[in-house]
Amino acid sequence: MDLSKMSALFPKPLMAESSDQEKIPSRHLAAAAVAEGESCEFGSTKYFALCAFGGVLSCGITHTAITPLDLVKCRLQVDKEKYKSVGNGFKMAVAEGGAAGLFLGWAPTLIGYSMQGLCKFGFYEVFKDMYSKAIGEENTYLYKTSLYLAASASAEFFADIALSPMECCKVRIQTSPTGTFPRTLRGAFPKILAEEGVGGFYKSIVPLWGRQIPYTMMKFACFERTVEALYANVVPKPRAECSKGEQLVVTFAAGYIAGVFCAIVSHPADTLVSYLNKAKGSSIGDAVKVLGWNGLWGGLVPRIFMIGTLTALQWFIYDGVKVQLGLPRPPPPEMPESLKLKLGLVQQ
């Protein structure tokens, strides 16, 4: 993607630079009064609840929409002898189950990733606000990338606990040979519960954390810093002067860039999750031995395409929900005056 071409999407501002009194204040991660056109205070309970709702729509809709690609990706990971390529995987899925066969596992996907999105985005905002208040305004600016990483990792820990039961059902439905396992959630869930107990839903929780926590840390930190970079180096005017539509274009571009990196860092663990949910009684060590180094990277190309598109759409939907619901969307943290004084950048 040639980011320099993005500047053509943004008309040059005609207004002269506003005075210091008119400039938008720097971002503070503490709650503030409700501004005109906003539906709630930043950092309020209502704000966090609506962010969580945005996460439900963001993750639930996007993951369900790409169920066919996810199905082929999972099958490439667990049965590389039978499924030779992405195209071959689609062809065989249709041959075995018709067009409807491409959407095997859509129900646990919708439920599981909606629950995950609620926790991922909602708790991210909660932890980011909590950690920012704990370290103070100056450290929030100095260590903002670390703040994004810590908040997203904390949120994803709980999000995966919510996701794991439905992820287990989804993978079993999608990868089990025809006739050996139920093809619907209402059949799969009670079967796993009866045969393996509650623990059966969480036997792949460790590799799930291994997949999702690095993925989410990259997703949020890379996105936040890419947005900052785009506004600083590509977009020809400040974010405050961009229309909502222009801001969403930046959101989509930053989301796609973040998604490519997300797919790469989390792929080996994603392969292990797929394998362990199919192979009863196997450990992580067993899976690594069977798959080998090359096998751990099976299905990477479709997953890069899938995750890149998925992440971009998730951020687009999430930011769009914020816009429609009138949620505060403050700019990235700017250097506080107290820190400028300490560094000698301004005079008292």
Side-chain angles (χ1 to χ4, degrees):
M1 180 186 295
D2 186 355
L3 297 180
S4 64
K5 295 180 180 179
M6 285 186 58
S7 61
L9 298 173
F10 301 87
K12 296 285 184 180
L14 298 178
M15 299 173 57
E17 185 176 354
S18 59
S19 65
D20 290 339
Q21 291 78 12
E22 294 173 331
K23 288 181 179 177
I24 303 298
S26 63
R27 176 179 184 172
H28 297 279
L29 293 179
V34 179
E36 183 179 355
E38 296 178 352
S39 62
C40 59
E41 294 181 0
F42 178 79
S44 64
T45 301
K46 181 179 179 181
Y47 172 80
F48 294 135
L50 291 177
C51 285
F53 173 70
V56 169
L57 297 181
S58 172
C59 293
I61 293 172
T62 52
H63 277 278
T64 305
I66 62 166
T67 297
L69 186 58
D70 184 47
L71 174 126
V72 172
K73 182 267 300 180
C74 287
R75 290 181 174 179
L76 283 170
Q77 290 173 327
V78 302
D79 195 349
K80 55 188 177 183
E81 297 299 324
K82 181 178 179 181
Y83 300 95
K84 306 296 185 183
S85 65
V86 177
N88 172 256
F90 275 108
K91 183 178 179 180
M92 294 193 68
V94 172
E96 293 173 358
L102 291 172
F103 287 89
L104 280 176
W106 72 268
T109 298
L110 176 61
I111 296 170
Y113 282 94
S114 293
M115 295 168 64
Q116 187 212 36
L118 183 149
C119 298
K120 184 197 297 279
F121 284 92
F123 286 165
Y124 172 71
E125 300 288 355
V126 170
F127 283 119
K128 186 167 65 171
D129 184 60
M130 182 190 306
Y131 295 160
S132 175
K133 290 176 179 177
I135 64 177
E137 185 181 25
E138 292 182 3
N139 285 328
T140 292
Y141 174 78
L142 291 172
Y143 304 106
K144 53 189 174 183
T145 301
S146 298
L147 174 67
Y148 301 148
L149 292 170
S152 57
S154 301
E156 189 59 38
F157 177 84
F158 294 101
D160 291 342
I161 294 174
L163 167 65
S164 189
M166 292 296 104
E167 179 76 357
C168 177
C169 293
K170 175 189 78 73
V171 173
R172 294 277 189 92
I173 290 170
Q174 291 180 335
T175 61
S176 297
T178 303
T180 64
F181 194 79
R183 291 307 210 197
T184 63
L185 176 60
R186 63 179 177 270
F189 189 92
K191 182 176 178 64
I192 295 172
L193 184 62
E195 294 182 356
E196 303 176 42
V198 175
F201 294 116
Y202 291 96
K203 74 172 189 176
S204 63
I205 187 67
V206 173
L208 188 61
W209 279 326
R211 178 188 82 183
Q212 289 297 131
I213 290 179
Y215 164 84
T216 301
M217 292 170 71
M218 184 67 72
K219 174 178 181 173
F220 282 89
C222 185
F223 171 80
E224 299 262 23
R225 296 313 301 263
T226 301
V227 167
E228 294 174 26
L230 290 177
Y231 280 113
N233 302 299
V234 178
V235 182
K237 56 185 177 181
R239 173 176 148 167
E241 296 178 11
C242 292
S243 68
K244 292 178 180 178
E246 291 169 341
Q247 291 180 28
L248 289 175
V249 170
V250 174
T251 294
F252 186 86
Y256 209 105
I257 293 168
V260 172
F261 289 101
C262 288
I264 295 171
V265 302
S266 63
H267 190 74
D270 180 66
T271 303
L272 289 175
V273 170
S274 297
Y275 185 88
L276 288 172
N277 276 314
K278 179 190 177 186
K280 293 183 179 181
S282 295
S283 66
I284 295 176
D286 295 333
V288 171
K289 288 179 182 178
V290 171
L291 292 168
W293 175 254
N294 291 334
L296 288 173
W297 295 97
L300 177 61
V301 173
R303 191 160 185 267
I304 286 177
F305 176 74
M306 181 182 82
I307 297 300
T309 305
L310 187 76
T311 305
L313 289 174
Q314 285 178 352
W315 278 115
F316 186 83
I317 292 172
Y318 181 65
D319 223 24
V321 169
K322 278 188 167 184
V323 169
Q324 292 301 314
L325 297 180
L327 296 184
R329 298 166 64 242
E334 296 181 2
M335 184 179 292
E337 291 300 320
S338 59
L339 187 57
K340 291 179 181 179
L341 288 171
K342 289 181 181 180
L343 298 176
L345 300 178
V346 295
Q347 296 182 349
Q348 289 182 312

